[in-house]
Protein backbone atom coordinates (compact mmCIF):
# COMPACT_ATOMS: atom_id res chain seq x y z
CA UNK A 1 0.00 0.00 0.00
CA UNK A 2 1.37 3.41 -1.00
CA UNK A 3 0.18 6.20 1.26
CA UNK A 4 0.48 9.94 0.81
CA UNK A 5 -0.15 12.66 3.36
CA UNK A 6 -2.66 15.38 2.44
CA UNK A 7 -2.10 18.52 4.45
CA UNK A 8 -3.82 21.90 4.64
CA UNK A 9 -2.93 24.83 6.88
CA UNK A 10 -5.00 27.46 8.64
CA UNK A 11 -2.76 30.30 9.69
CA UNK A 12 -3.66 33.18 11.99
CA UNK A 13 -1.58 36.32 11.65
CA UNK A 14 -1.83 39.02 14.31
CA UNK A 15 -1.78 42.45 12.67
CA UNK A 16 0.37 45.18 14.20
CA UNK A 17 -2.19 47.96 13.95
CA UNK A 18 -2.15 50.75 16.55
CA UNK A 19 -5.58 49.84 17.91
CA UNK A 20 -7.73 46.71 18.17
CA UNK A 21 -10.08 45.35 15.49
CA UNK A 22 -13.35 46.95 16.62
CA UNK A 23 -12.46 49.45 19.38
CA UNK A 24 -9.87 52.13 20.17
CA UNK A 25 -7.89 50.07 22.73
CA UNK A 26 -4.15 49.84 22.20
CA UNK A 27 -3.07 46.76 20.27
CA UNK A 28 0.36 46.67 21.95
CA UNK A 29 0.17 44.66 25.14
CA UNK A 30 3.64 43.17 25.33
CA UNK A 31 5.02 43.81 28.83
CA UNK A 32 1.72 45.40 29.91
CA UNK A 33 -0.14 44.27 33.07
CA UNK A 34 -3.18 42.01 32.39
CA UNK A 35 -6.57 43.58 31.63
CA UNK A 36 -5.28 47.11 31.04
CA UNK A 37 -5.97 47.52 27.30
CA UNK A 38 -9.71 46.89 27.59
CA UNK A 39 -12.96 48.81 27.11
CA UNK A 40 -16.70 48.01 27.06
CA UNK A 41 -16.50 47.08 23.34
CA UNK A 42 -13.77 44.43 23.57
CA UNK A 43 -15.17 43.19 26.89
CA UNK A 44 -18.48 42.58 25.16
CA UNK A 45 -20.71 44.78 27.30
CA UNK A 46 -24.34 44.99 26.15
CA UNK A 47 -25.33 47.81 23.83
CA UNK A 48 -21.85 48.77 22.57
CA UNK A 49 -21.09 49.25 18.88
CA UNK A 50 -18.06 47.72 17.16
CA UNK A 51 -16.35 49.92 14.51
CA UNK A 52 -14.01 48.13 12.05
CA UNK A 53 -10.37 49.22 12.00
CA UNK A 54 -9.56 50.59 8.54
CA UNK A 55 -5.86 49.86 8.89
CA UNK A 56 -6.66 46.20 9.57
CA UNK A 57 -8.86 46.03 6.47
CA UNK A 58 -6.09 47.63 4.40
CA UNK A 59 -3.54 45.14 5.78
CA UNK A 60 -5.79 42.19 4.94
CA UNK A 61 -6.33 43.45 1.39
CA UNK A 62 -2.58 44.04 0.94
CA UNK A 63 -1.82 40.49 2.07
CA UNK A 64 -4.65 39.14 -0.06
CA UNK A 65 -3.16 40.83 -3.13
CA UNK A 66 0.37 39.69 -2.24
CA UNK A 67 -1.01 36.13 -2.18
CA UNK A 68 -2.34 36.66 -5.67
CA UNK A 69 -6.00 36.37 -4.68
CA UNK A 70 -9.26 37.97 -5.69
CA UNK A 71 -10.40 40.72 -3.35
CA UNK A 72 -14.15 40.60 -2.72
CA UNK A 73 -16.00 43.60 -4.16
CA UNK A 74 -18.55 43.23 -1.39
CA UNK A 75 -17.63 41.84 1.97
CA UNK A 76 -19.16 41.67 5.44
CA UNK A 77 -18.56 40.47 8.97
CA UNK A 78 -20.39 37.57 10.61
CA UNK A 79 -20.87 36.26 14.11
CA UNK A 80 -19.40 32.87 14.90
CA UNK A 81 -21.19 31.65 17.99
CA UNK A 82 -19.58 29.55 20.66
CA UNK A 83 -19.10 29.75 24.39
CA UNK A 84 -15.71 29.84 26.04
CA UNK A 85 -14.34 31.84 29.02
CA UNK A 86 -11.96 33.82 26.77
CA UNK A 87 -14.82 35.02 24.54
CA UNK A 88 -16.85 37.59 26.52
CA UNK A 89 -19.58 38.13 23.88
CA UNK A 90 -20.10 34.38 23.38
CA UNK A 91 -19.41 34.99 19.72
CA UNK A 92 -16.40 35.96 17.66
CA UNK A 93 -16.78 38.57 14.92
CA UNK A 94 -15.32 36.84 11.89
CA UNK A 95 -16.21 36.40 8.21
CA UNK A 96 -18.18 33.51 6.80
CA UNK A 97 -19.31 33.52 3.16
CA UNK A 98 -17.77 36.77 1.89
CA UNK A 99 -14.13 36.71 3.01
CA UNK A 100 -11.83 39.61 2.07
CA UNK A 101 -9.94 37.39 -0.39
CA UNK A 102 -10.48 34.08 -2.17
CA UNK A 103 -8.65 32.00 -4.79
CA UNK A 104 -5.09 32.97 -3.97
CA UNK A 105 -1.85 31.04 -4.33
CA UNK A 106 1.72 31.08 -3.17
CA UNK A 107 4.78 29.79 -5.04
CA UNK A 108 7.97 29.15 -3.09
CA UNK A 109 11.08 26.99 -2.85
CA UNK A 110 11.23 24.05 -0.45
CA UNK A 111 14.68 23.21 0.95
CA UNK A 112 15.74 19.81 -0.38
CA UNK A 113 13.21 19.84 -3.22
CA UNK A 114 14.33 20.72 -6.71
CA UNK A 115 11.29 22.50 -8.08
CA UNK A 116 9.30 25.35 -6.53
CA UNK A 117 5.79 24.41 -5.42
CA UNK A 118 2.54 26.33 -5.69
CA UNK A 119 -0.04 26.03 -2.93
CA UNK A 120 -3.62 27.13 -3.54
CA UNK A 121 -5.16 29.46 -0.99
CA UNK A 122 -8.88 29.00 -0.50
CA UNK A 123 -9.60 32.18 1.45
CA UNK A 124 -8.28 34.96 3.66
CA UNK A 125 -10.54 36.66 6.16
CA UNK A 126 -10.43 39.14 9.04
CA UNK A 127 -11.53 38.42 12.57
CA UNK A 128 -10.91 39.36 16.18
CA UNK A 129 -8.70 37.33 18.51
CA UNK A 130 -10.03 35.80 21.71
CA UNK A 131 -8.64 36.76 25.13
CA UNK A 132 -5.91 34.65 26.68
CA UNK A 133 -6.44 31.99 29.32
CA UNK A 134 -3.59 31.78 31.78
CA UNK A 135 -3.36 28.66 33.91
CA UNK A 136 -1.97 29.72 37.30
CA UNK A 137 0.25 27.69 39.59
CA UNK A 138 -2.62 27.69 42.09
CA UNK A 139 -4.68 25.47 39.83
CA UNK A 140 -6.98 28.31 38.79
CA UNK A 141 -7.38 29.69 35.29
CA UNK A 142 -7.20 33.45 34.78
CA UNK A 143 -8.25 35.45 31.74
CA UNK A 144 -6.23 38.34 30.29
CA UNK A 145 -8.49 40.40 28.03
CA UNK A 146 -5.64 42.52 26.62
CA UNK A 147 -5.48 40.15 23.64
CA UNK A 148 -9.27 40.05 23.19
CA UNK A 149 -10.27 41.95 20.05
CA UNK A 150 -6.80 42.01 18.48
CA UNK A 151 -7.06 42.00 14.66
CA UNK A 152 -6.27 38.65 13.04
CA UNK A 153 -6.01 37.60 9.44
CA UNK A 154 -6.80 33.94 8.87
CA UNK A 155 -5.36 32.29 5.76
CA UNK A 156 -6.81 28.93 4.74
CA UNK A 157 -4.94 26.86 2.17
CA UNK A 158 -6.25 24.05 0.04
CA UNK A 159 -4.96 20.62 1.12
CA UNK A 160 -2.05 20.86 -1.28
CA UNK A 161 0.91 19.99 0.95
CA UNK A 162 2.28 16.45 1.02
CA UNK A 163 5.17 16.82 3.47
CA UNK A 164 6.23 18.50 6.71
CA UNK A 165 9.05 20.31 4.90
CA UNK A 166 6.58 21.94 2.49
CA UNK A 167 4.32 23.11 5.31
CA UNK A 168 7.24 24.56 7.22
CA UNK A 169 8.62 26.34 4.14
CA UNK A 170 5.16 27.79 3.44
CA UNK A 171 4.85 29.18 6.96
CA UNK A 172 8.32 30.70 6.80
CA UNK A 173 7.43 32.32 3.49
CA UNK A 174 4.19 33.70 4.97
CA UNK A 175 6.16 35.14 7.88
CA UNK A 176 8.62 36.78 5.51
CA UNK A 177 5.79 38.22 3.40
CA UNK A 178 3.91 39.76 6.36
CA UNK A 179 7.19 41.25 7.58
CA UNK A 180 8.01 42.57 4.11
CA UNK A 181 4.55 44.13 3.90
CA UNK A 182 5.04 45.56 7.40
CA UNK A 183 1.65 44.33 8.61
CA UNK A 184 2.76 41.93 11.38
CA UNK A 185 5.81 41.07 13.47
CA UNK A 186 5.05 37.44 12.58
CA UNK A 187 6.78 36.00 15.61
CA UNK A 188 5.52 32.45 16.19
CA UNK A 189 6.95 32.23 19.70
CA UNK A 190 4.87 35.26 20.68
CA UNK A 191 1.72 33.89 19.10
CA UNK A 192 1.69 36.53 16.37
CA UNK A 193 1.72 33.74 13.80
CA UNK A 194 -0.20 30.57 14.70
CA UNK A 195 -0.86 27.52 12.63
CA UNK A 196 -3.47 24.79 12.73
CA UNK A 197 -2.58 21.75 10.64
CA UNK A 198 -5.19 19.55 8.92
CA UNK A 199 -3.85 16.19 7.90
CA UNK A 200 -5.14 12.92 6.52
CA UNK A 201 -3.69 10.10 4.43
CA UNK A 202 -4.75 8.61 1.14
CA UNK A 203 -3.75 5.73 -1.08
CA UNK A 204 -1.79 6.51 -4.23
CA UNK A 205 -0.56 4.34 -7.12
CA UNK A 206 3.10 3.78 -8.03
CA UNK A 207 3.17 7.17 -9.81
CA UNK A 208 1.86 9.02 -6.78
CA UNK A 209 -1.60 9.49 -8.32
CA UNK A 210 -4.45 9.17 -5.78
CA UNK A 211 -6.68 6.10 -6.16
CA UNK A 212 -9.72 8.13 -5.16
CA UNK A 213 -10.50 11.85 -5.38
CA UNK A 214 -12.31 12.04 -2.05
CA UNK A 215 -10.47 12.94 1.15
CA UNK A 216 -10.54 10.83 4.28
CA UNK A 217 -11.53 12.19 7.71
CA UNK A 218 -8.76 14.46 8.90
CA UNK A 219 -6.99 15.26 12.11
CA UNK A 220 -6.72 18.93 13.04
CA UNK A 221 -3.64 19.78 15.12
CA UNK A 222 -4.22 23.03 16.98
CA UNK A 223 -1.94 25.99 17.64
CA UNK A 224 1.43 24.53 16.94
CA UNK A 225 3.66 27.38 18.04
CA UNK A 226 7.06 27.06 16.37
CA UNK A 227 8.36 26.07 12.95
CA UNK A 228 10.08 23.08 14.48
CA UNK A 229 6.86 21.99 16.22
CA UNK A 230 4.96 22.21 12.91
CA UNK A 231 7.50 19.93 11.28
CA UNK A 232 7.60 17.47 14.20
CA UNK A 233 3.82 17.39 14.66
CA UNK A 234 3.25 16.60 10.98
CA UNK A 235 5.94 13.93 10.91
CA UNK A 236 4.50 12.35 14.06
CA UNK A 237 0.96 12.44 12.71
CA UNK A 238 1.99 10.87 9.38
CA UNK A 239 3.58 8.01 11.29
CA UNK A 240 0.61 7.60 13.62
CA UNK A 241 -1.95 7.55 10.82
CA UNK A 242 0.20 5.30 8.62
CA UNK A 243 0.27 2.72 11.42
CA UNK A 244 -3.53 2.89 11.68
CA UNK A 245 -3.87 2.35 7.93
CA UNK A 246 -1.49 -0.57 7.96
CA UNK A 247 -3.46 -2.14 10.82
CA UNK A 248 -6.62 -1.64 8.73
CA UNK A 249 -7.93 0.77 11.38
CA UNK A 250 -8.39 3.77 9.05
CA UNK A 251 -9.57 6.93 10.92
CA UNK A 252 -13.36 7.27 10.43
CA UNK A 253 -13.92 10.49 12.37
CA UNK A 254 -12.56 14.00 12.11
CA UNK A 255 -10.70 14.72 15.33
CA UNK A 256 -8.84 17.55 16.99
CA UNK A 257 -5.48 16.78 18.54
CA UNK A 258 -3.02 18.99 20.42
CA UNK A 259 0.74 18.95 19.95
CA UNK A 260 2.63 18.31 23.17
CA UNK A 261 6.07 19.85 22.95
CA UNK A 262 7.14 18.08 26.13
CA UNK A 263 6.18 14.58 24.96
CA UNK A 264 6.70 15.25 21.21
CA UNK A 265 3.36 13.59 20.40
CA UNK A 266 -0.13 14.69 19.35
CA UNK A 267 -2.89 13.97 21.86
CA UNK A 268 -6.61 13.56 21.24
CA UNK A 269 -8.64 16.59 22.38
CA UNK A 270 -12.10 16.13 20.90
CA UNK A 271 -14.09 15.14 17.87
CA UNK A 272 -14.70 18.23 15.79
CA UNK A 273 -17.90 20.23 15.36
CA UNK A 274 -18.83 21.11 11.80
CA UNK A 275 -19.27 24.81 10.97
CA UNK A 276 -23.06 24.48 11.19
CA UNK A 277 -22.60 24.24 14.95
CA UNK A 278 -21.29 27.80 15.04
CA UNK A 279 -24.62 29.18 13.79
CA UNK A 280 -22.92 31.87 11.69
CA UNK A 281 -25.09 34.88 10.87
CA UNK A 282 -24.31 38.41 9.60
CA UNK A 283 -23.04 40.86 12.23
CA UNK A 284 -25.98 43.28 12.48
CA UNK A 285 -23.94 46.14 13.99
CA UNK A 286 -21.44 46.50 11.13
CA UNK A 287 -22.59 47.58 7.65
CA UNK A 288 -21.34 45.51 4.66
CA UNK A 289 -18.22 46.86 2.96
CA UNK A 290 -17.47 47.79 -0.65
CA UNK A 291 -13.79 47.01 -1.15
CA UNK A 292 -13.29 47.56 -4.90
CA UNK A 293 -11.86 51.10 -4.72
CA UNK A 294 -9.68 50.31 -1.72
CA UNK A 295 -8.33 47.18 -3.43
CA UNK A 296 -7.54 49.18 -6.54
CA UNK A 297 -5.68 51.83 -4.53
CA UNK A 298 -3.71 49.25 -2.55
CA UNK A 299 -2.82 47.20 -5.63
CA UNK A 300 -0.42 50.00 -6.63
CA UNK A 301 1.40 49.83 -3.30
CA UNK A 302 2.58 46.23 -3.14
CA UNK A 303 6.33 46.19 -2.49
CA UNK A 304 8.65 43.68 -4.13
CA UNK A 305 7.84 40.28 -2.61
CA UNK A 306 10.49 37.87 -1.30
CA UNK A 307 10.32 35.40 -4.19
CA UNK A 308 10.76 38.13 -6.81
CA UNK A 309 13.60 39.60 -4.77
CA UNK A 310 15.38 36.24 -4.46
CA UNK A 311 15.07 35.70 -8.21
CA UNK A 312 16.41 39.18 -8.87
CA UNK A 313 19.38 38.82 -6.50
CA UNK A 314 20.28 35.60 -8.32
CA UNK A 315 19.95 36.91 -11.87
CA UNK A 316 20.90 40.56 -11.43
CA UNK A 317 23.76 40.23 -8.96
CA UNK A 318 24.77 36.64 -9.60
CA UNK A 319 24.39 35.69 -5.93
CA UNK A 320 24.03 31.94 -5.17
CA UNK A 321 20.43 30.83 -4.44
CA UNK A 322 21.23 29.67 -0.89
CA UNK A 323 22.98 32.98 -0.15
CA UNK A 324 20.19 35.02 -1.72
CA UNK A 325 17.73 33.18 0.52
CA UNK A 326 19.81 33.86 3.63
CA UNK A 327 20.05 37.57 2.81
CA UNK A 328 16.40 38.05 1.89
CA UNK A 329 15.10 36.12 4.92
CA UNK A 330 15.99 39.28 6.85
CA UNK A 331 14.46 42.39 5.24
CA UNK A 332 17.02 44.64 7.01
CA UNK A 333 19.88 42.56 5.60
CA UNK A 334 18.32 42.67 2.12
CA UNK A 335 18.12 46.49 2.26
CA UNK A 336 21.69 46.73 3.50
CA UNK A 337 22.87 44.49 0.67
CA UNK A 338 21.09 46.46 -2.03
CA UNK A 339 22.45 49.77 -0.80
CA UNK A 340 26.01 48.49 -0.45
CA UNK A 341 25.93 46.80 -3.87
CA UNK A 342 24.68 49.96 -5.51
CA UNK A 343 27.64 51.83 -3.93
CA UNK A 344 30.01 49.27 -5.39
CA UNK A 345 28.28 49.55 -8.75
CA UNK A 346 28.74 53.33 -8.68
CA UNK A 347 32.42 52.74 -8.06
CA UNK A 348 32.60 50.38 -11.06
CA UNK A 349 30.71 52.85 -13.23
CA UNK A 350 33.38 55.44 -12.50
CA UNK A 351 36.07 53.16 -13.96
CA UNK A 352 37.19 54.08 -17.48
CA UNK A 353 36.23 50.90 -19.41
CA UNK A 354 33.05 50.12 -17.54
CA UNK A 355 31.36 48.10 -20.28
CA UNK A 356 34.23 45.78 -20.98
CA UNK A 357 34.36 42.09 -20.21
CA UNK A 358 36.95 43.03 -17.60
CA UNK A 359 34.38 45.10 -15.74
CA UNK A 360 31.91 42.19 -15.73
CA UNK A 361 34.52 39.93 -14.18
CA UNK A 362 35.37 42.67 -11.71
CA UNK A 363 31.69 43.03 -10.80
CA UNK A 364 31.33 39.29 -10.15
CA UNK A 365 34.48 39.26 -8.03
CA UNK A 366 33.34 42.23 -6.02
CA UNK A 367 29.89 40.77 -5.38
CA UNK A 368 31.41 37.47 -4.29
CA UNK A 369 33.80 39.26 -1.96
CA UNK A 370 30.96 41.35 -0.59
CA UNK A 371 28.65 38.37 0.07
CA UNK A 372 31.42 36.41 1.69
CA UNK A 373 32.42 39.23 4.06
CA UNK A 374 28.79 40.01 4.79
CA UNK A 375 27.62 36.47 5.63
CA UNK A 376 30.79 34.94 7.03
CA UNK A 377 32.37 37.84 8.87
CA UNK A 378 30.08 40.82 9.49
CA UNK A 379 27.04 38.80 10.61
CA UNK A 380 29.28 36.75 12.88
CA UNK A 381 30.73 39.79 14.62
CA UNK A 382 27.30 41.42 14.87
CA UNK A 383 25.87 38.25 16.46
CA UNK A 384 28.84 37.99 18.82
CA UNK A 385 28.18 41.50 20.05
CA UNK A 386 24.45 40.79 20.30
CA UNK A 387 23.50 43.86 18.30
CA UNK A 388 20.89 43.90 15.55
CA UNK A 389 21.74 44.80 11.99
CA UNK A 390 19.36 47.75 12.23
CA UNK A 391 21.23 49.41 15.09
CA UNK A 392 24.68 48.42 13.86
CA UNK A 393 26.92 51.44 13.30
CA UNK A 394 28.32 50.38 9.92
CA UNK A 395 26.50 52.06 7.07
CA UNK A 396 26.13 50.33 3.69
CA UNK A 397 28.35 53.07 2.20
CA UNK A 398 31.15 52.39 4.67
CA UNK A 399 30.88 48.64 4.23
CA UNK A 400 31.06 49.06 0.45
CA UNK A 401 34.17 51.19 0.85
CA UNK A 402 35.63 48.54 3.12
CA UNK A 403 35.04 45.85 0.46
CA UNK A 404 36.66 48.14 -2.08
CA UNK A 405 39.80 48.41 0.11
CA UNK A 406 39.96 44.61 0.33
CA UNK A 407 39.37 44.22 -3.42
CA UNK A 408 42.12 46.71 -4.21
CA UNK A 409 44.47 44.81 -1.93
CA UNK A 410 44.94 47.72 0.45
CA UNK A 411 43.71 45.61 3.37
CA UNK A 412 44.44 41.95 4.05
CA UNK A 413 41.79 39.61 5.39
CA UNK A 414 43.31 39.59 8.84
CA UNK A 415 43.72 43.32 9.32
CA UNK A 416 40.34 43.71 7.62
CA UNK A 417 38.71 42.03 10.60
CA UNK A 418 40.46 44.49 12.89
CA UNK A 419 39.21 47.43 10.85
CA UNK A 420 35.69 45.96 10.78
CA UNK A 421 35.66 45.67 14.56
CA UNK A 422 36.63 49.31 14.87
CA UNK A 423 33.97 50.37 12.37
CA UNK A 424 31.40 48.58 14.52
CA UNK A 425 32.67 50.34 17.65
CA UNK A 426 32.14 53.87 16.47
CA UNK A 427 30.82 53.84 12.91
CA UNK A 428 33.97 55.39 11.54
CA UNK A 429 35.07 55.44 7.95
CA UNK A 430 37.21 52.41 6.93
CA UNK A 431 40.04 54.42 5.35
CA UNK A 432 40.31 56.56 8.49
CA UNK A 433 40.47 53.45 10.68
CA UNK A 434 43.02 51.90 8.36
CA UNK A 435 45.30 54.93 8.55
CA UNK A 436 44.83 55.31 12.26
CA UNK A 437 45.58 51.67 13.04
CA UNK A 438 48.33 51.60 10.46
CA UNK A 439 46.51 48.58 9.17
CA UNK A 440 47.13 49.04 5.49
CA UNK A 441 48.66 46.10 3.76
CA UNK A 442 52.41 45.78 3.97
CA UNK A 443 53.74 44.91 0.54
CA UNK A 444 56.86 47.01 0.55
CA UNK A 445 59.51 44.44 -0.32
CA UNK A 446 62.43 45.91 1.62
CA UNK A 447 60.29 46.36 4.76
CA UNK A 448 59.04 42.77 4.49
CA UNK A 449 62.55 41.41 3.96
CA UNK A 450 63.63 43.07 7.19
CA UNK A 451 60.89 41.28 9.12
CA UNK A 452 61.51 37.95 7.37
CA UNK A 453 65.25 38.08 8.01
CA UNK A 454 64.64 38.82 11.69
CA UNK A 455 62.32 35.80 11.94
CA UNK A 456 64.88 33.55 10.19
CA UNK A 457 67.61 34.80 12.50
CA UNK A 458 65.56 33.80 15.58
CA UNK A 459 64.57 30.37 14.31
CA UNK A 460 67.71 28.39 13.57
CA UNK A 461 66.02 25.05 14.43
CA UNK A 462 63.15 25.59 12.02
CA UNK A 463 65.52 26.83 9.33
CA UNK A 464 67.57 23.66 9.66
CA UNK A 465 64.48 21.44 9.48
CA UNK A 466 63.19 23.37 6.49
CA UNK A 467 66.46 22.99 4.67
CA UNK A 468 66.44 19.27 5.51
CA UNK A 469 63.22 19.01 3.50
CA UNK A 470 60.37 19.85 5.89
CA UNK A 471 58.82 22.34 3.49
CA UNK A 472 55.54 22.41 5.42
CA UNK A 473 57.36 24.79 7.77
CA UNK A 474 56.85 27.50 5.19
CA UNK A 475 53.39 28.00 6.72
CA UNK A 476 54.94 28.34 10.15
CA UNK A 477 57.33 31.07 8.91
CA UNK A 478 54.35 32.74 7.27
CA UNK A 479 52.55 32.73 10.64
CA UNK A 480 55.56 34.31 12.37
CA UNK A 481 55.75 37.11 9.81
CA UNK A 482 52.00 37.72 10.11
CA UNK A 483 52.38 37.91 13.87
CA UNK A 484 55.23 40.41 13.61
CA UNK A 485 53.28 42.58 11.15
CA UNK A 486 49.93 42.25 12.96
CA UNK A 487 48.44 40.51 9.95
CA UNK A 488 49.29 43.30 7.54
CA UNK A 489 51.87 41.47 5.44
CA UNK A 490 50.67 40.81 1.91
CA UNK A 491 50.35 37.00 1.81
CA UNK A 492 51.50 36.44 -1.80
CA UNK A 493 54.57 38.66 -1.57
CA UNK A 494 55.46 37.23 1.83
CA UNK A 495 55.35 33.59 0.73
CA UNK A 496 57.52 34.37 -2.26
CA UNK A 497 60.06 36.31 -0.19
CA UNK A 498 60.30 33.70 2.58
CA UNK A 499 61.01 31.04 -0.05
CA UNK A 500 63.75 33.20 -1.54
CA UNK A 501 65.36 34.09 1.80
CA UNK A 502 65.42 30.46 2.90
CA UNK A 503 67.30 29.32 -0.22
ZN1 LIG B 1 -11.43 47.78 23.63
MN1 LIG C 1 -9.98 31.80 13.04
Amino acid sequence: MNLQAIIGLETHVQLKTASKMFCGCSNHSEGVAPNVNVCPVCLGHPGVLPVPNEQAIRSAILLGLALDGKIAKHSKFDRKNYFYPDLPKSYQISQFDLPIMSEGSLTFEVPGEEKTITIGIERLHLEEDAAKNIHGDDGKTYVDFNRGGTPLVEIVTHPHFTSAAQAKAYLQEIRLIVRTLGISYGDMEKGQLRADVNISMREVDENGEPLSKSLNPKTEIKNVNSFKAVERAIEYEIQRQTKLWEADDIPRLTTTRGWSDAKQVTELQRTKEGFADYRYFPEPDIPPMDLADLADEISHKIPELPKAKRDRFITEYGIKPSEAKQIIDDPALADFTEQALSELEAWLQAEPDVDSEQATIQRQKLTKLFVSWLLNKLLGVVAERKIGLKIMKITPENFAEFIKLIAEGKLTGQSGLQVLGRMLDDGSDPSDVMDELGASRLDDVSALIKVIDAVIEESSDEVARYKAGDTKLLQWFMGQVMKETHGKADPDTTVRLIGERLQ
Side-chain angles (χ1 to χ4, degrees):
M1 181 166 51
N2 293 319
L3 290 173
Q4 181 186 52
I6 296 291
I7 304 162
L9 290 178
E10 288 167 27
T11 312
H12 287 90
V13 181
Q14 217 172 64
L15 298 175
K16 60 172 190 188
T17 51
S19 56
K20 290 188 183 179
M21 188 63 232
F22 298 111
C23 64
C25 288
S26 166
N27 186 27
H28 295 279
S29 295
E30 206 181 326
V32 169
N35 298 313
V36 170
N37 291 330
V38 292
C39 74
V41 175
C42 56
L43 287 176
H45 289 197
V48 295
L49 276 181
V51 178
N53 182 332
E54 188 188 329
Q55 197 52 48
I57 295 170
R58 285 176 172 271
S59 300
I61 292 175
L62 183 60
L63 182 55
L65 290 168
L67 295 174
D68 219 12
K70 276 193 198 151
I71 304 301
K73 288 199 172 66
H74 308 288
S75 186
K76 67 174 168 65
F77 287 100
D78 300 274
R79 290 187 181 180
K80 179 181 180 179
N81 297 279
Y82 65 96
F83 173 75
Y84 207 64
D86 62 13
L87 194 68
K89 298 192 291 285
S90 271
Y91 59 83
Q92 177 194 32
I93 305 180
S94 181
Q95 296 191 286
F96 184 50
D97 53 341
L98 293 174
I100 299 261
M101 175 274 249
S102 52
E103 291 177 53
S105 70
L106 183 61
T107 299
F108 53 98
E109 300 91 5
V110 180
E113 292 186 16
E114 231 167 83
K115 278 188 262 169
T116 58
I117 61 166
T118 298
I119 294 295
I121 291 168
E122 186 185 320
R123 57 183 281 149
L124 175 155
H125 66 257
L126 260 177
E127 60 188 29
E128 57 178 341
D129 206 348
K132 196 172 186 174
N133 288 331
I134 296 158
H135 304 289
D137 298 332
D138 53 6
K140 292 178 181 160
T141 294
Y142 298 85
V143 187
D144 178 5
F145 286 90
N146 282 346
R147 198 183 72 178
T150 294
L152 291 182
V153 160
E154 179 173 340
I155 310 161
V156 182
T157 74
H158 286 290
H160 285 170
F161 304 94
T162 55
S163 73
Q166 291 175 354
K168 184 179 167 196
Y170 164 86
L171 280 174
Q172 287 176 331
E173 190 73 358
I174 290 286
R175 178 177 66 172
L176 187 52
I177 289 172
V178 300
R179 285 180 176 174
T180 303
L181 298 176
I183 60 172
S184 172
Y185 298 110
D187 203 330
M188 270 195 113
E189 280 68 26
K190 289 181 181 160
Q192 293 152 346
L193 181 68
R194 312 198 285 263
D196 298 337
V197 181
N198 292 308
I199 171 167
S200 62
M201 306 296 291
R202 68 176 168 191
E203 266 191 277
V204 290
D205 64 19
E206 314 79 68
N207 304 317
E209 291 301 318
L211 300 187
S212 145
K213 280 238 163 74
S214 64
L215 294 178
N216 297 301
K218 68 192 181 191
T219 293
E220 182 171 350
I221 313 169
K222 289 296 231 183
N223 284 337
V224 197
N225 58 9
S226 72
F227 293 113
K228 187 169 240 158
V230 168
E231 202 171 25
R232 290 271 172 81
I234 292 175
E235 281 165 359
Y236 176 85
E237 198 54 30
I238 290 176
Q239 279 183 14
R240 190 187 71 84
Q241 293 189 23
T242 302
K243 274 187 201 146
L244 291 175
W245 275 74
E246 284 168 351
D248 203 21
D249 183 18
I250 303 167
R252 301 281 169 215
L253 278 177
T254 296
T255 52
T256 300
R257 299 179 73 89
W259 172 247
S260 163
D261 240 345
K263 299 187 207 157
Q264 297 279 301
V265 297
T266 61
E267 296 171 313
L268 183 67
Q269 290 180 333
R270 59 173 187 269
T271 52
K272 167 99 176 153
E273 311 119 88
F275 56 63
D277 294 334
Y278 290 124
R279 292 175 296 117
Y280 279 99
F281 63 85
E283 164 61 57
D285 291 334
I286 303 174
M289 304 172 282
D290 286 325
L291 300 178
D293 290 348
L294 203 52
D296 183 55
E297 180 205 319
I298 293 169
S299 68
H300 303 294
K301 296 179 182 165
I302 306 170
E304 185 181 33
L305 294 168
K307 169 117 184 31
K309 191 170 277 193
R310 283 193 294 269
D311 291 347
R312 186 167 60 79
F313 270 43
I314 294 164
T315 52
E316 189 175 309
Y317 298 129
I319 296 177
K320 278 196 233 157
S322 62
E323 292 170 338
K325 180 178 184 320
Q326 196 187 343
I327 293 169
I328 288 158
D329 273 350
D330 179 352
L333 187 59
D335 283 350
F336 185 88
T337 299
E338 295 233 55
Q339 286 178 48
L341 285 178
S342 87
E343 286 293 320
L344 289 173
E345 183 59 31
W347 175 51
L348 276 174
Q349 293 287 337
E351 299 279 291
D353 50 349
V354 55
D355 290 321
S356 70
E357 210 172 301
Q358 205 58 35
T360 309
I361 295 169
Q362 176 79 345
R363 180 176 292 115
Q364 284 165 351
K365 264 192 184 160
L366 217 50
T367 306
K368 228 173 146 185
L369 197 61
F370 167 83
V371 172
S372 154
W373 271 91
L374 180 74
L375 299 181
N376 303 330
K377 302 281 170 37
L378 182 62
L379 287 191
V381 187
V382 165
E384 226 167 69
R385 296 188 180 201
K386 296 194 168 66
I387 47 177
L389 204 63
K390 271 188 191 153
I391 56 164
M392 166 188 79
K393 288 204 172 105
I394 300 181
T395 61
E397 295 75 23
N398 279 349
F399 192 66
E401 193 190 334
F402 170 79
I403 294 300
K404 200 176 123 190
L405 290 170
I406 302 260
E408 290 173 334
K410 290 182 180 157
L411 265 177
T412 64
Q414 206 172 347
S415 46
L417 266 182
Q418 219 182 331
V419 171
L420 203 60
R422 188 58 176 277
M423 289 164 70
L424 273 170
D425 289 340
D426 53 15
S428 44
D429 192 278
S431 352
D432 292 350
V433 182
M434 194 172 84
D435 293 345
E436 196 188 316
L437 294 178
S440 62
R441 187 176 68 157
L442 191 59
D443 58 359
D444 176 60
V445 172
S446 59
L448 275 174
I449 285 180
K450 251 192 209 159
V451 179
I452 291 167
D453 284 352
V455 168
I456 289 175
E457 177 101 31
E458 300 266 302
S459 329
S460 44
D461 280 2
E462 286 79 7
V463 173
R465 276 164 54 202
Y466 179 87
K467 289 192 171 162
D470 190 357
T471 49
K472 271 185 260 156
L473 274 168
L474 194 60
Q475 277 309 313
W476 181 86
F477 283 106
M478 185 71 184
Q480 296 306 107
V481 174
M482 280 297 175
K483 208 154 110 195
E484 289 300 314
T485 59
H486 304 284
K488 291 178 293 186
D490 174 57
D492 294 342
T493 318
T494 307
V495 159
R496 180 171 57 80
L497 290 175
I498 293 174
E500 282 173 21
R501 302 306 280 181
L502 282 171
Q503 285 295 311

